[in-house]
Amino acid sequence: MRKLGWVGVLVAVMGLAMFVGQPVSGQSQQEIKYSTPPPLVITAFGGKPVDYKAPRTPWGDPDLQGVWSSDDMDGVGIAAGGGGRGRGGAPAAAAAPAGPPPLYMDEKAFEARKQAVAAAAKRGDTTAESSFRFDFGRRAFPQTRLLVDPPDGRVPNVRPDVVNRGMPRGTYTTGNAELNDWRDFSLYERCITRGIGGSVLRVIYGNGNRIVQAPGIVAFSYEMLSDTRIFHVDNRPHVNQKIGMYLGDSRARWEGEELVVETTNLTDQTAFGVNGNGTRHSKAMKITERFRRVADDIVQYQATWDDPLTYTAPFTVSFPLTPLDGGYLLPYDCHEGNAAIEMTLKAERDEDRLLAQDLAKGIKRERRGVQECGAGVGSQPVAGCTPGAAAAGRGGRGGRGGRGGAADTGEGTEEK
């Protein structure tokens, strides 16, 4: 019996060794060729050099601690030509006669941007609509877009062999597509996560980010959906490649004033875009983030997304984070009041029943869409539709079909 016991232990150890050696998605990390992430692009001052040295923690690291927000990116699109998102945005600067569109505004455009931001902040401070929604910026920055690489300001194309990778759209589905179960809803609608990109990109509210430091560790918390990521700064290796997590496994190091964070071990269930929408990346995605305090009240944030199995090239966004109004992350209770999925699926089954009843009466009609003409965000009427008619938009089930061409970042779909 003792001999059999030792045989069992040996088999278990061998099995563990085989498990540890399993690569992500059946492909060795060594076979995936990643690019070298670009250096930090400090957009906060229009590309001007910065010699600011951050205050130090008691143990000597640059102090990034605070509650920071992307609210001041109100009106700045992800890509060149993307236009403004949210309120108070000025038009993007005109493209140069030749070469890529400029990353920074000229003096005239920047002055117009500052005036627009000031006017929007005054409206926000004197109206009731922005207490917990429609957050607004207070200061202007000269960048025309978040994307700093590639130089043309465009998100690289999704590989043509990538199919069925769109994030499900759930209650945001347009047209008369049918919703059958929880898999037809995004991770955001299910109150799980918005992913790394979707959690830091600016939306209409909940844009706070809290940084807390201790020796050998940095914690980065998001306001909306209340995710917290842990950055280990103690040279420990990544966890086993077989383990995948929505927010991945992060390892960090200090390079002078910069905190450089490399995240691997992601799943293939999250995406880069606004609120986590867009094309879902593969498990091979590697994200390299850079944090640098460039002023008492500015942390420059940069993230390089590198997934050779999904995109034709890596891409990088960079933008300043500034102090959050109020200085505290507000509680974001999502699961506690999330009846949207249950009610939506119940309504869909009611529609199945009504379709069958009408057909039995000889009435053949199209299925009513999930999005009907009615009240939109903040109970405002949906523009361009007639009561009783389906809301305008692209038909079909969002997120089920694969797409080539330009990557879908979900931009402009904050909460329509």
Side-chain angles (χ1 to χ4, degrees):
M1 291 296 293
R2 282 196 292 268
K3 289 181 179 179
L4 288 174
W6 281 110
V7 169
V9 171
L10 179 60
V11 170
V13 171
M14 292 175 64
L16 179 61
M18 293 174 65
F19 173 81
V20 170
Q22 289 296 314
V24 174
S25 300
Q27 184 167 1
S28 170
Q29 290 278 23
Q30 285 72 30
E31 296 174 4
I32 300 174
K33 296 182 179 179
Y34 294 106
S35 300
T36 301
L40 181 66
V41 179
I42 301 177
T43 61
F45 307 111
K48 297 177 182 177
V50 176
D51 59 1
Y52 177 86
K53 185 175 181 179
R56 262 38 185 179
T57 63
W59 54 94
D61 290 338
D63 195 339
L64 304 174
Q65 296 179 105
V67 183
W68 310 95
S69 169
S70 55
D71 279 332
D72 285 332
M73 290 296 99
D74 187 4
V76 182
I78 293 176
R85 293 187 293 115
R87 301 184 172 200
L103 176 59
Y104 303 110
M105 300 175 184
D106 58 27
E107 291 185 9
K108 183 178 180 180
F110 187 33
E111 185 60 34
R113 166 74 177 160
K114 288 189 285 188
Q115 293 178 12
V117 169
K122 184 177 180 179
R123 287 195 304 270
D125 283 334
T126 54
T127 59
E129 70 175 11
S130 58
S131 296
F132 296 99
R133 205 176 181 85
F134 298 125
D135 293 346
F136 52 88
R138 293 193 176 277
R139 58 195 297 180
F141 292 95
Q143 68 186 105
T144 62
R145 61 178 186 270
L146 305 185
L147 208 70
V148 297
D149 188 72
D152 64 0
R154 301 288 182 182
V155 178
N157 289 341
V158 173
R159 288 167 50 106
D161 58 337
V162 171
V163 296
N164 297 325
R165 290 270 204 89
M167 183 66 71
R169 299 296 293 133
T171 53
Y172 299 101
T173 298
T174 55
N176 58 358
E178 183 178 355
L179 302 177
N180 291 307
D181 58 38
W182 53 268
R183 289 169 293 187
D184 291 328
F185 297 82
S186 70
L187 296 178
Y188 173 43
E189 285 195 290
R190 290 160 56 194
C191 296
I192 295 176
T193 185
R194 297 187 297 159
I196 291 177
S199 294
V200 74
L201 294 172
R202 188 200 177 278
V203 289
I204 62 174
Y205 71 99
N207 296 311
N209 306 275
R210 183 177 59 219
I211 299 177
V212 177
Q213 295 171 243
I217 197 168
V218 177
F220 189 56
S221 300
Y222 303 116
E223 185 169 39
M224 191 184 296
L225 292 189
S226 305
D227 283 327
T228 293
R229 299 167 58 202
I230 300 299
F231 306 152
H232 294 286
V233 199
D234 55 5
N235 296 316
R236 71 178 66 186
H238 282 284
V239 299
N240 188 296
Q241 293 179 11
K242 189 77 173 182
I243 300 173
M245 295 166 277
Y246 288 131
L247 298 178
D249 182 56
S250 299
R251 298 293 179 264
R253 64 183 182 274
W254 288 102
E255 293 184 355
E257 293 291 308
E258 296 179 26
L259 179 68
V260 182
V261 183
E262 294 182 352
T263 300
T264 58
N265 295 78
L266 290 151
T267 70
D268 55 5
Q269 298 301 304
T270 58
F272 161 73
V274 174
N275 276 337
N277 294 314
T279 302
R280 289 179 288 191
H281 54 73
S282 78
K283 296 178 182 179
M285 172 64 78
K286 178 181 178 182
I287 303 172
T288 302
E289 296 164 288
R290 297 179 182 273
F291 297 79
R292 179 178 172 182
R293 196 166 187 166
V294 295
D296 289 345
D297 56 354
I298 302 176
V299 169
Q300 184 75 36
Y301 171 81
Q302 180 167 303
T304 299
W305 291 66
D306 193 351
D307 181 4
L309 303 186
T310 301
Y311 295 96
T312 55
F315 56 93
T316 300
V317 294
S318 187
F319 51 92
L321 300 175
T322 51
L324 177 70
D325 273 6
Y328 292 94
L329 298 188
L330 296 176
Y332 192 85
D333 296 333
C334 188
H335 278 294
E336 294 80 352
N338 188 11
I341 295 176
E342 178 184 0
M343 291 191 294
T344 302
L345 292 177
K346 182 180 183 300
E348 287 284 83
R349 303 296 72 81
D350 286 344
E351 178 67 357
D352 291 341
R353 177 175 52 81
L354 294 173
L355 277 170
Q357 289 178 358
D358 285 346
L359 191 59
K361 298 174 184 177
I363 302 173
K364 188 176 181 180
R365 64 173 176 83
E366 288 191 4
R367 183 181 192 87
R368 293 178 61 199
V370 176
Q371 290 282 358
E372 291 274 338
C373 223
V377 176
S379 297
Q380 299 299 313
V382 176
C385 62
T386 304
R394 186 172 64 251
R397 179 178 306 180
R400 284 297 188 184
R403 58 175 292 172
D408 178 10
T409 63
E411 187 173 3
T413 60
E414 291 93 338
E415 280 203 5
K416 288 186 178 178

